[in-house]
C-alpha cells in the first residue's frame, strides 16, 4: 500500500496535531463549541479578577446559564437532563476547565455528584422534587462526604444519622464542600445502624449551616464550604433508598473523577496555548524564543503529554458509553492526566518567564488550581494504590 502524497494530506494543525477532532461526531463538536463559546463569553473576561478577589460572584446566574445550555447533569437521562454521551460530557468538562477549574468543579459537583446520587439511588419522589430544578440551574446541589479528620478514609466518617420515631436526626461536619453555602440541597453521607446511607438534605432545614471557607490559594473562583449538621431532623423519605454502604458515594466519585480526566486536559491546553503563542512573539537575543532548541523541546514534550491525555480521556469515554469502564480505569486516567497537566502548567510557566506568574496569563492560576484537583476525589497515593491492588491482587490499603 503506497503512502499518501504529502501534497494531499491535510495541513498540520498545532492546535490539533494528531487530528483528534476526526474522532468526534458533528454533535460532539457542536456541544463542545457551545460550551467553549459560553466560557469565552461569560467566564474568560472576568476570571482573573474573580480569582484575584477570591470569589465567584453571580454563581446562581451562572448556574442557570449552564442549565440553559444543558451542561448540568448532562449525561443523565430524563428529569430535564440532556442525556448526552460520556464523551460529550467529557468535552464539556475540558472546555469548562480550560476557563477555570472552579467552573468545572461547579458543574461536576452539581451533575456528577449531587444529581448523579439522586438520579441513581433516589426514590422517584426525590428525583421529581430535585432533579428538574437542578438540571435548570434553579437549585444548586452539593455533596457531603469528606470530613475534617477523614479525607481519604470515608469509611471512618463520624457524621451519624439515627432514627427517632419516623424521622432521621443527622449530626456531624463535612469539609471542603464545593457549592456548599449556595446549595439548596446537600447530598450528605452518614453512618447509621444499618451502614452508610445517603440523605437529600434541604439546606433550609433547622440545624444545617454551611460557612464558606476563605483564605484559599487554589480554586479561588469557587465556593468552598464546611457543612455543619447540628441535630438536623429529616423525614424518613429524605434517605436515598437505593444503596447502603460505601458503594454509593464511591460510585458517585468515580463518575466525577471521569470528568476530571477530561477537565485537567483543559487546564493543560490553556497553559500550553499561552506558552506556544508567547514563544512565537517574545523576543530574546534578537529572535523569538520559540526558535531556540530548548524552548522547542519543551513545547514538543508538552504537546505529547497533552494530546496523549486527551486520547486517554476519549478512550475512557467510549468505554463508559459502552458500559465497560471500570473504577480502576478511571483511577488510571485521573492519576495520569492531572499529574501531567500540572507538569505542563509548570513548564509553560518557565517559557513565560516572570510573566508566567502574572494573572494576565492563565498559567499560574491553572497550576495552583490543579494542586487542589490533584488531591480531591482521590489523592495521587490513593489512585496509585488502587492501580497497585488491581495489578498485583494484593491490598496495600491495610
Amino acid at each position: 500500500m503506497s503512502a499518501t502524497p504529502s501534497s494531499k494530506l491535510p495541513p498540520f494543525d498545532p492546535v490539533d496535531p494528531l487530528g483528534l477532532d476526526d474522532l468526534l461526531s458533528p454533535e460532539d463538536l457542536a456541544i463542545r463549541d457551545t460550551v467553549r463559546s459560553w466560557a469565552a463569553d461569560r467566564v474568560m473576561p472576568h476570571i482573573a479578577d474573580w480569582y484575584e478577589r477570591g470569589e465567584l460572584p453571580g454563581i446562581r446566574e451562572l448556574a442557570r446559564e449552564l442549565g440553559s445550555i444543558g451542561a448540568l447533569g448532562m449525561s443523565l437521562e430524563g428529569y430535564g437532563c440532556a442525556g448526552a454521551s460520556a464523551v460529550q460530557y467529557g468535552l464539556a468538562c475540558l472546555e469548562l476547565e480550560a476557563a477555570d477549574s472552579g467552573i468545572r468543579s461547579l458543574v461536576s459537583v452539581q451533575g456528577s455528584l449531587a444529581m448523579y446520587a439522586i438520579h441513581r439511588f433516589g426514590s422517584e419522589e426525590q428525583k421529581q422534587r430535585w432533579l428538574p430544578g437542578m438540571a435548570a440551574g434553579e437549585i444548586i446541589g452539593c455533596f457531603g462526604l469528606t470530613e475534617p479528620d477523614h479525607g481519604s478514609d470515608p469509611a471512618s466518617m463520624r457524621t451519624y444519622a439515627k432514627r427517632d420515631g419516623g424521622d432521621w436526626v443527622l449530626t456531624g461536619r463535612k469539609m471542603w464542600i464545593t457549592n456548599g453555602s449556595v446549595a439548596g440541597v446537600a447530598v450528605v453521607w452518614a453512618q447509621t445502624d444499618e451502614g452508610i446511607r445517603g440523605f437529600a438534605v434541604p439546606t433550609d432545614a433547622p440545624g444545617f449551616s454551611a460557612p464558606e471557607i476563605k483564605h484559599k490559594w487554589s480554586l479561588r473562583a469557587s465556593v468552598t464550604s464546611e457543612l455543619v449538621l447540628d441535630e438536623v431532623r429529616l423525614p424518613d423519605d429524605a434517605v436515598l433508598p437505593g444503596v447502603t454502604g460505601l458503594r454509593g458515594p464511591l460510585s458517585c466519585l468515580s463518575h466525577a473523577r471521569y470528568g476530571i480526566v477530561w477537565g485537567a486536559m483543559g487546564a493543560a491546553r490553556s497553559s500550553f496555548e499561552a506558552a506556544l503563542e508567547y514563544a512565537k512573539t517574545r523576543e530574546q537575543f534578537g529572535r523569538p524564543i520559540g526558535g531556540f532548541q530548548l524552548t522547542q523541546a519543551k513545547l514538543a514534550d508538552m504537546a505529547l503529554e497533552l494530546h496523549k491525555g486527551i486520547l486517554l480521556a476519549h478512550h475512557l469515554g467510549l468505554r463508559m458509553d459502552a458500559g465497560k469502564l471500570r473504577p480502576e480505569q478511571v483511577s488510571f486516567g485521573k492519576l495520569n492526566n492531572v499529574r501531567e497537566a500540572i507538569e505542563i502548567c509548570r513548564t509553560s510557566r518557565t517559557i513565560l518567564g516572570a510573566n508566567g506568574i502574572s494573572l494576565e496569563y492563565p498559567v499560574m492560576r491553572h497550576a495552583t488550581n490543579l494542586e487542589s484537583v490533584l488531591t480531591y476525589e482521590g489523592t495521587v497515593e490513593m489512585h496509585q494504590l488502587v492501580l497497585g491492588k488491581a495489578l498485583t491482587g494484593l491490598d496495600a490499603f491495610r
Side-chain angles (χ1 to χ4, degrees):
M1 184 176 182
S2 59
T4 303
S6 59
S7 61
K8 295 184 179 180
L9 291 173
F12 182 84
D13 183 358
V15 175
D16 184 19
L18 293 179
L20 299 185
D21 278 5
D22 293 345
L23 301 175
L24 305 177
S25 71
E27 185 179 2
D28 296 339
L29 293 169
I31 289 173
R32 183 192 68 181
D33 292 346
T34 295
V35 177
R36 181 181 293 181
S37 177
W38 178 85
D41 179 56
R42 291 293 288 117
V43 179
M44 294 308 300
H46 315 290
I47 188 61
D49 181 54
W50 295 344
Y51 189 90
E52 188 168 32
R53 288 157 51 190
E55 60 186 35
L56 184 58
I59 183 173
R60 289 183 172 85
E61 181 181 355
L62 291 173
R64 288 191 289 269
E65 292 176 12
L66 286 162
S68 72
I69 63 172
L72 301 179
M74 66 182 295
S75 61
L76 303 177
E77 296 281 351
Y79 308 98
C81 302
S85 71
V87 168
Q88 291 163 357
Y89 171 58
L91 289 166
C93 287
L94 188 151
E95 295 302 330
L96 292 168
E97 195 144 358
D100 192 78
S101 299
I103 304 299
R104 198 268 309 147
S105 292
L106 162 64
V107 170
S108 289
V109 170
Q110 177 86 345
S112 290
L113 291 178
M115 292 178 68
Y116 181 83
I118 295 170
H119 191 277
R120 181 167 179 183
F121 302 120
S123 66
E124 184 60 29
E125 291 75 17
Q126 289 167 335
K127 295 174 186 178
Q128 294 288 353
R129 177 180 180 182
W130 297 114
L131 291 179
M134 296 176 80
E138 297 294 336
I139 301 171
I140 296 176
C142 66
F143 186 85
L145 178 64
T146 298
E147 296 191 354
D149 298 319
H150 301 284
S152 296
D153 183 17
S156 298
M157 72 175 68
R158 294 176 182 170
T159 299
Y160 200 86
K162 62 181 180 180
R163 289 189 180 274
D164 183 18
D167 294 339
W168 289 93
V169 178
L170 273 68
T171 299
R173 295 168 63 204
K174 302 294 183 179
M175 197 69 173
W176 303 113
I177 308 303
T178 297
N179 301 346
S181 59
V182 294
V185 60
V187 174
V188 176
W189 300 91
Q191 299 277 10
T192 75
D193 291 342
E194 307 160 7
I196 292 172
R197 303 296 302 270
F199 296 83
V201 182
T203 59
D204 60 358
F208 180 96
S209 61
E212 188 171 353
I213 297 171
K214 300 290 189 178
H215 309 299
K216 301 177 298 179
W217 286 113
S218 180
L219 291 179
R220 289 176 56 78
S222 177
V223 174
T224 310
S225 311
E226 178 184 8
L227 304 186
V228 180
L229 301 111
D230 184 9
E231 296 190 348
V232 176
R233 182 173 292 272
L234 299 170
D236 184 60
D237 61 8
V239 70
L240 303 180
V243 70
T244 301
L246 274 178
R247 180 176 65 87
L250 293 184
S251 65
C252 300
L253 288 175
S254 185
H255 196 264
R257 288 166 182 156
Y258 164 76
I260 291 173
V261 176
W262 284 91
M265 291 295 97
R269 187 192 73 191
S270 174
S271 297
F272 170 75
E273 290 179 351
L276 178 61
E277 182 61 28
Y278 190 86
K280 293 189 292 184
T281 58
R282 171 70 168 178
E283 291 193 1
Q284 291 287 283
F285 306 104
R287 58 189 174 124
I289 61 173
F292 291 98
Q293 292 180 2
L294 290 176
T295 302
Q296 290 193 359
K298 291 177 182 181
L299 292 168
D301 287 345
M302 287 192 291
L304 284 173
E305 297 307 324
L306 170 60
H307 294 283
K308 282 158 59 178
I310 296 173
L311 267 174
L312 172 57
H314 186 265
H315 172 69
L316 296 182
L318 293 178
R319 292 190 65 80
M320 179 177 278
D321 281 328
K324 296 180 179 180
L325 184 62
R326 293 189 55 84
E328 298 91 342
Q329 293 165 342
V330 178
S331 288
F332 195 112
K334 203 242 180 191
L335 176 62
N336 180 81
N337 281 14
V338 181
R339 194 160 59 182
E340 294 303 327
I342 288 178
E343 188 58 36
I344 288 170
C345 290
R346 290 170 178 165
T347 304
S348 296
R349 208 288 306 158
T350 69
I351 292 176
L352 270 71
N355 284 325
I357 71 168
S358 168
L359 280 176
E360 296 299 318
Y361 298 90
V363 175
M364 185 60 76
R365 175 169 53 83
H366 285 310
T368 55
N369 281 340
L370 286 171
E371 292 292 344
S372 291
V373 179
L374 189 71
T375 295
Y376 69 35
E377 297 182 29
T379 65
V380 167
E381 294 81 2
M382 291 299 103
H383 289 297
Q384 287 173 322
L385 293 181
V386 167
L387 290 175
K389 179 180 177 181
L391 292 168
T392 66
L394 302 173
D395 189 351
F397 285 97
R398 300 178 182 179

